[in-house]
Amino acid sequence: MYTASRQQRFEIGAFLLLDELPSGSRPNSAAVSCNGPSDCAPGECCVSNARPRGKRDTSFRSTSGTCQMVGTEGSSCLVSYTQPLQSGMYYACPCALGFRCLGTGLYDIPLGEIGTCRGPSTRIGQTCHSGDDCATNECCVSSLRPIGRRRQLGGAHCQQMGVDGSSCYVRQLSGKPNATVFACPCSDGLRCVGSHMFDIPLGEVGTCHV
């Protein structure tokens, strides 16, 4: 009777943990095939069907993968693979913006340490003086609106950065600002698409999109 070694049981168990990563975000469908990131919906990544051999990237040997959701709170992730491979695919989807992959001490050979996506502790609604006082995916928003071109001094509080579909001001650059602002801009990776409607004196109003 064949009995798996301790190392084999460990690797199999770790591989099963990665198999628990959520499947494609399209409702009522099986895993969606992909040949690259452009084949997947927003909030998904293309996970290669090929596993690495040792430390070598073998994703280029497989032109296919499956679309899976990027990691959110509690999702499994790989600590060492947060950037796409040469093919644009991943061995496991990274954590979503504002989350980070914290190691669990379990390893999948040769993919490395398995982690769990964890978000920062939120400070939404709490007083701030700059973006540094807020969580990673938040910015510091003034409680007072400007009068003409004059900035009014007053309190400020933390608000969530713009996500897909959030309102924004076209004049603002995407990404977390360090200074206090009148509205949070779009998160990194998104852009503010104008609506041709204007909020005087803050400028054209738009919506954050990928």
Side-chain angles (χ1 to χ4, degrees), residues 1 10 29 55 66 78 99 107 116 120 124 147 168 192 202 207:
M1 179 177 177
F10 178 77
S29 67
K55 295 184 178 180
T66 56
L78 291 171
F99 293 83
Y107 287 79
T116 303
I124 292 177
I147 298 177
C168 54
C192 188
L202 295 176
T207 305

Side-chain angles (χ1 to χ4, degrees), residues 107-151:
Y107 287 79
D108 176 358
I109 308 301
L111 292 176
E113 187 175 11
I114 298 169
T116 303
C117 295
R118 297 297 182 193
S121 56
T122 181
R123 289 184 52 84
I124 292 177
Q126 297 188 35
T127 301
C128 58
H129 300 285
S130 71
D132 291 337
D133 296 327
C134 302
T136 305
N137 59 343
E138 298 168 3
C139 79
C140 188
V141 175
S142 173
S143 301
L144 299 176
R145 286 174 56 85
I147 298 177
R149 295 184 178 181
R150 291 180 298 166
R151 296 176 65 94

